[in-house]
Amino acid sequence: MESASISAGHAAGSHDHHGPPEANQSSRVDAQMLGMLLFIISEVMLFGAFFTAYFFTRVVNNEPWPGDGNELPVAVAGVNTAILLSSSFTMHWGLEGAKHGNRRAMRIGLLATLMLGTAFLAIQINEYVSIGFAISESAQTSIFYGLTGLHGAHVFIGLTLLFFATTRAFRGHFTEKEHRGVEIPGIYWHFVDVMWIVVYTTIYLI
Amino acid sequence: MTLAAKFKGPGWYRAALSIPLGILFGLGLTVGVRALYGYDPLFDGDAITTVALISTPLAFLVGIGCFDYWFYWAAGKPTREEDHSSHGAHTWKDYFKVNTDHKVIGIQYICTTFVFFVLGGLMAMVMRAELAAPGSQIVDPNTFNGLFSVHASLMIFLFIIPVFAGIANYVLPLMIGAPDMAFPRLNALSFWMLPTAGIMMVASFFAPGGSFATGWTAYAPLSTETPLGQTFFTIGVQFAGASSIATALNFLVTIITMRAPGMTFWRMPLLVWANFTTSLLVVIATPFIAGSQFFVLFDRALGTDFFNAAAGGDVLMYQHVFWFYSHPAVYIMMLPGFGIISEVISTHARKPVFGYRMMAFSLMAIVVLGFTVWAHHMFVSGMFSWLRVPMMITTMLIAVPTGIKIFSWIATLWKGVIHMTTPMLFALGFITMFTLGGISGIVLAVIPVDIYVSDTYFVVAHIHYVLFGGSVFTIFAGIYHWFPKMTGRMYDETLGRIHFWLSFIFFNLTFGPMHLVGVDGMPRRVADYAEEFATLNALISVSSFIFGMSFFIFLYNMISSWRHGPKAAANPWRAHTIEWQVSSPPPIFNFDEIPTVVGGPYEYGVPGAQHAIFKATEEKREPVAAE
């Protein structure tokens, strides 16, 4: 397609301009924000597929949960839930800091979230090590590891995004006006948090 | 550029380096973990391949340069000026690079998907050669199973779904007056994931034990027990699915946030509406196939028991999860085609689309109803029997919004000035063939009939009437319609017509008789058949060869017209939508100034009606008008 360069048409004689025209903003919602929300919808559906597996084994086939002789450490996981929940508050604190130009609060908030999230993952891995049943034992254990592991993978993705945001925050990015780089990973982090409450309730509590 | 710089910068040199690194990483990780846990043997070919199938495509994507900007961004380095060096194509070589221009990505998509279309088509030819007579002809039964599995997977995941994304990628931003897609780099990543998925599926033929041979549906527990080739499908689908989700997300954000001033939802061309609804389906449904393939992968690689009934697993769960994606997927494969047909029919019949709003509403209705019918694929699976009748009713209900569309197209044609151009011929062919396919769909929705013809050639006939007579005809219509816009050249109208008539006639001669052998009980997915089906199968095979040949007329037409065809005007069809108001091919940044939309997109035959105005054009035209 040799003629794919800037060609005439309605814009004859405008070869000198570089870069695209400013796009019209046809929605009050920011593009990045909307993209993240749609991605979260997609993620919810992925969890939905895993919950379907859970539903079929536990409800439709009425298999014992969490399998014969298996015990889930409800209390430890409860403490872990509290850790993850508190990380949502520190995340919010960091974002408020970014919004009000308080760089110190933003950095501390992000760092605290990062550390709480890492602590959650560490406790989760410790739980796997000491739980006493393997992933290949039965459908119940497969689903237990599947759902908590899927959530753990999402915690890891969230932590990666937060790590980027933290790096950028310490390198002097983000202002009162431009703080989407904190806000959007933050939304993902809240989603990971809420998803954990659902996973914890269905897997450990009921 | 020095050689060292070539290996350092994004591109094929670095990719050539990163691919072996990806394989090595997969090998090292597997062997390392196995050593850590003391597994025997240390070198397990299946395990290494499985991990390498995930790590190698990722390494390729890094090497070719899909992630460069994001790495840079994530490291928090100072902002760098956007020089648009990755935007637009100046030579053919630019089509083989990571490019952020939606027009280049559109062409990349279309050309790549047509390569896989040819591959999938050749597999169909081999199958028809095998089925030309009863008994064994040229392939053994296991290869035959592999052929139909890879054929369907390529056609669905590597042709129909992505080629629509390609066409929309090219025309949609232009249509809504946007300079590009909302996330151009994500767009490039979505494209580059696609060939990796396709190559993986084709490469499965070289796996020990042959390619995956469980059909594109890959039902468990068959798929958890077959040889290594199955892993190529399981992981390939993940890449194709991720690509599909990312593109859909991109379309949705583009349509919602980047429409030109004045472009309300009720002034959007129906192709935009169609892709809006399709993208909703993709974003919501595709994670389910990802889930189903994760379960299969875990059962194969980690020894989980998702589908092990002895350990509390449930094999029917696979079908529920799979069809909860794959039934909406048939609308993912059809709705963009509906959009193309609305554009083509309205433009080439010089009439406003009849019932424009109902056309949009019926798309939304199909999206909603599409999620409520999945179990009609499972009437004979032994699922809960109470689910059958509700699923039959919702399935039949879908015919209502679809019927609204068919009648609206016919009403659009009514008393129109019909130009029998090639895109119009394909659109008319689509209406007739899709209606037939839709009717056999209604027949299949009826539970007793479905039980009777389950897994027979009747189903094969139905799916090809809706997917070839339906989707692929709309793809041809769309390619011919936008060919002048994409290439700046006109295609050969005579060859186009010959292509249409050959494919229309021999399509029917190929798939029409399949209804008959299907009702007589010829099972699908079997390499051999009973003597009594010999005559009709010989006819089907001969027709299918001519049918396959007709595609090469299309290919010749496209290639020769692209190179030497007569130059196309900016607006050869005198269409009103915005993509036709810019030059052919469009300027590198689409517009100098975003146009303003002042009316509906299809006001053909309305004196003085305009869809969009360009401020710059109006000013420049004034001296001309004064002459």
Side-chain angles (χ1 to χ4, degrees):
Chain A
M1 216 163 73
E2 63 274 29
S3 49
S5 53
I6 304 176
S7 43
H10 73 270
S14 55
H15 289 245
D16 51 337
H17 100 109
H18 296 287
E22 189 74 25
N24 179 47
Q25 174 76 21
S26 59
S27 166
R28 271 171 299 176
V29 189
D30 188 65
Q32 277 81 0
M33 180 71 80
L34 185 64
M36 181 49 90
L37 291 177
L38 289 166
F39 182 60
I40 287 174
I41 292 177
S42 197
E43 295 275 52
V44 168
M45 293 307 287
L46 183 60
F47 274 94
F50 278 74
F51 275 115
T52 311
Y54 167 86
F55 176 81
F56 267 86
T57 294
R58 190 167 177 187
V59 181
V60 177
N61 298 336
N62 209 10
E63 299 280 348
W65 184 265
D68 293 325
N70 291 337
E71 289 267 349
L72 295 178
V74 180
V76 179
V79 174
N80 217 8
T81 310
I83 291 176
L84 195 61
L85 274 184
S86 53
S87 78
S88 249
F89 288 102
T90 55
M91 182 69 232
H92 187 70
W93 186 40
L95 177 61
E96 284 299 309
K99 277 183 180 166
H100 294 104
N102 185 347
R103 305 196 61 80
R104 204 163 145 263
M106 169 176 77
R107 287 173 182 172
I108 294 175
L110 280 169
L111 266 185
T113 315
L114 210 55
M115 286 194 298
L116 287 169
T118 315
F120 174 87
L121 262 192
I123 294 173
Q124 183 81 51
I125 290 168
N126 182 54
E127 185 179 315
Y128 285 172
V129 174
S130 55
I131 201 159
F133 54 78
I135 189 169
S136 52
E137 214 160 89
S138 65
Q140 290 93 315
T141 62
S142 300
I143 289 164
F144 168 78
Y145 279 101
L147 263 170
T148 53
L150 179 72
H151 183 266
H154 282 77
V155 174
F156 182 76
I157 297 168
L159 283 176
T160 313
L161 295 178
L162 284 178
F163 178 72
F164 296 158
T166 315
T167 314
R168 284 171 64 78
F170 275 89
R171 285 203 168 188
H173 291 269
F174 308 131
T175 60
E176 282 166 60
K177 286 207 175 70
E178 179 54 54
H179 47 261
R180 286 179 299 185
V182 180
E183 196 170 10
I184 289 161
I187 291 175
Y188 190 79
W189 191 252
H190 294 317
F191 150 71
V192 170
D193 225 15
V194 172
M195 210 61 210
W196 175 251
I197 295 173
V198 180
V199 173
Y200 181 67
T201 313
T202 47
I203 297 265
Y204 292 85
L205 294 184
I206 55 173
Chain B
M1 214 198 295
T2 64
L3 202 62
K6 274 181 176 169
F7 279 107
K8 209 172 161 222
W12 286 96
Y13 282 94
R14 204 173 71 183
L17 208 64
S18 72
I19 290 172
L21 282 178
I23 298 173
L24 274 179
F25 178 81
L27 186 121
L29 187 69
T30 319
V31 174
V33 169
R34 290 180 80 87
L36 204 67
Y37 281 85
Y39 285 172
D40 192 60
L42 203 55
F43 286 88
D44 179 4
D46 282 18
I48 293 169
T49 315
T50 306
V51 179
L53 277 175
I54 302 169
S55 63
T56 314
L58 292 176
F60 164 73
L61 292 172
V62 172
I64 195 94
C66 285
F67 295 107
D68 276 32
Y69 179 89
W70 289 324
F71 287 151
Y72 186 89
W73 181 91
K77 292 185 186 166
T79 329
R80 83 179 146 183
E81 202 65 39
E82 173 64 270
D83 61 355
H84 304 291
S85 57
S86 64
H87 193 96
H90 303 280
T91 68
W92 63 271
K93 284 181 184 162
D94 287 341
Y95 288 96
F96 292 88
K97 291 177 186 158
V98 174
N99 204 305
T100 54
D101 184 355
H102 74 94
K103 301 185 287 299
V104 176
I105 294 174
I107 302 269
Q108 285 175 327
Y109 257 110
I110 294 168
C111 294
T112 313
T113 52
F114 267 97
V115 169
F116 288 109
F117 184 51
V118 172
L119 282 173
L122 288 174
M123 289 172 197
M125 295 296 104
V126 178
M127 279 189 277
R128 275 330 305 180
E130 169 60 38
L131 292 171
S136 186
Q137 261 59 244
I138 51 173
V139 291
D140 61 89
N142 198 38
T143 314
F144 183 86
N145 294 348
L147 282 172
F148 71 69
S149 305
V150 182
H151 162 77
S153 308
L154 287 185
M155 290 306 191
I156 290 167
F157 296 114
L158 271 301
F159 179 59
I160 295 185
I161 294 177
V163 78
F164 279 132
I167 294 174
N169 231 307
Y170 198 103
V171 297
L172 192 144
L174 287 161
M175 267 185 167
I176 62 170
D180 204 320
M181 296 279 277
F183 307 120
R185 289 180 202 91
L186 184 68
N187 203 11
L189 174 65
S190 316
F191 165 71
W192 284 99
M193 280 196 274
L194 202 65
T196 53
I199 289 167
M200 217 183 273
M201 288 184 188
V202 177
S204 72
F205 277 106
F206 302 106
S211 70
F212 56 97
T214 54
W216 76 280
T217 48
Y219 276 5
L222 182 61
S223 57
T224 60
E225 284 161 13
T226 43
L228 183 63
Q230 188 66 41
T231 310
F232 287 71
F233 172 82
T234 304
I235 296 173
V237 166
Q238 300 290 17
F239 280 98
S243 153
S244 187
I245 293 176
T247 314
L249 191 151
N250 218 338
F251 280 141
L252 284 171
V253 175
T254 309
I255 294 169
I256 292 172
T257 66
M258 290 174 77
R259 280 167 289 124
M263 175 76 87
T264 60
F265 262 68
W266 294 118
R267 280 178 182 169
M268 288 196 315
L270 284 167
L271 183 89
V272 181
W273 264 108
N275 277 286
F276 181 76
T277 46
T278 309
S279 302
L280 279 177
L281 276 174
V282 172
V283 165
I284 298 171
T286 311
F288 261 69
I289 196 173
S292 71
Q293 298 311 314
F294 275 133
F295 300 149
V296 171
L297 186 68
F298 293 161
D299 268 18
R300 294 178 63 89
L302 302 178
T304 56
D305 297 303
F306 285 104
F307 306 121
N308 181 358
D314 191 325
V315 289
L316 268 186
M317 184 269 285
Y318 178 88
Q319 297 186 27
H320 281 291
V321 174
F322 178 82
W323 286 115
F324 194 74
Y325 161 73
S326 293
H327 195 80
V330 309
Y331 302 109
I332 294 170
M333 290 183 261
M334 198 60 260
L335 297 190
F338 287 169
I340 291 173
I341 293 304
S342 298
E343 301 294 326
V344 168
I345 286 193
S346 159
T347 308
H348 295 261
R350 317 302 307 161
K351 277 264 311 278
V353 169
F354 180 87
Y356 167 86
R357 285 196 180 209
M358 279 317 283
M359 288 296 243
F361 279 130
S362 57
L363 287 169
M364 292 302 283
I366 292 174
V367 170
V368 175
L369 283 173
F371 281 108
T372 63
V373 299
W374 78 92
H376 68 211
H377 296 272
M378 302 166 58
F379 285 156
V380 296
S381 69
M383 62 159 185
F384 332 109
S385 48
W386 56 265
L387 199 55
R388 283 176 170 182
V389 172
M391 287 290 162
M392 173 177 87
I393 293 169
T394 47
T395 305
M396 291 185 162
L397 271 181
I398 286 208
V400 175
T402 317
I404 290 176
K405 303 196 78 72
I406 302 271
F407 284 121
S408 294
W409 287 317
I410 294 170
T412 308
L413 290 167
W414 181 257
K415 290 192 175 173
V417 185
I418 299 175
H419 296 262
M420 282 293 177
T421 53
T422 313
M424 187 58 155
L425 283 172
F426 272 103
L428 297 176
F430 157 80
I431 294 179
T432 49
M433 294 302 98
F434 184 74
T435 306
L436 286 179
I439 289 169
S440 63
I442 294 294
V443 171
L444 281 168
V446 182
I447 298 163
V449 181
D450 183 87
I451 291 171
Y452 178 67
V453 295
S454 247
D455 266 331
T456 68
Y457 265 81
F458 191 84
V459 179
V460 179
H462 164 70
I463 199 200
H464 285 94
Y465 265 82
V466 287
L467 276 192
F468 205 107
S471 305
V472 181
F473 273 23
T474 70
I475 291 164
F476 282 137
I479 297 281
Y480 280 115
H481 182 68
W482 281 293
F483 185 83
K485 184 49 65 185
M486 292 178 183
T487 62
R489 309 264 180 177
M490 284 308 279
Y491 61 86
D492 189 311
E493 195 68 59
T494 317
L495 284 177
R497 278 176 203 171
I498 295 173
H499 170 223
F500 169 74
W501 283 111
L502 279 181
S503 47
F504 184 77
I505 292 166
F506 287 97
F507 165 79
N508 278 295
L509 285 177
T510 304
F511 295 108
M514 285 187 187
H515 289 110
L516 305 176
V517 291
V519 172
D520 280 347
M522 178 174 163
R524 67 172 179 155
R525 293 178 167 176
V526 182
D528 191 10
Y529 51 85
E531 230 25 89
E532 56 179 301
F533 304 122
T535 322
L536 276 177
N537 268 289
L539 168 74
I540 293 172
S541 283
V542 172
S543 315
S544 77
F545 296 145
I546 306 174
F547 181 37
M549 227 79 94
S550 74
F551 177 76
F552 289 96
I553 298 173
F554 166 78
L555 215 57
Y556 171 78
N557 192 357
M558 291 296 111
I559 293 171
S560 70
S561 305
W562 197 343
R563 298 186 60 180
H564 318 290
K567 286 249 188 289
N571 192 358
W573 313 123
R574 294 179 294 129
H576 286 189
T577 42
I578 300 175
E579 84 273 24
W580 296 105
Q581 314 311 319
V582 296
S583 59
S584 294
I588 195 158
F589 293 115
N590 293 0
F591 311 103
D592 287 310
E593 211 169 324
I594 299 300
T596 305
V597 175
V598 293
Y602 305 116
E603 305 294 313
Y604 298 109
V606 180
Q610 265 190 315
H611 175 49
I613 48 171
F614 290 86
K615 222 190 273 162
T617 325
E618 298 302 305
E619 281 158 13
K620 282 203 186 78
R621 271 194 192 148
E622 267 167 12
V624 184
E627 278 174 11

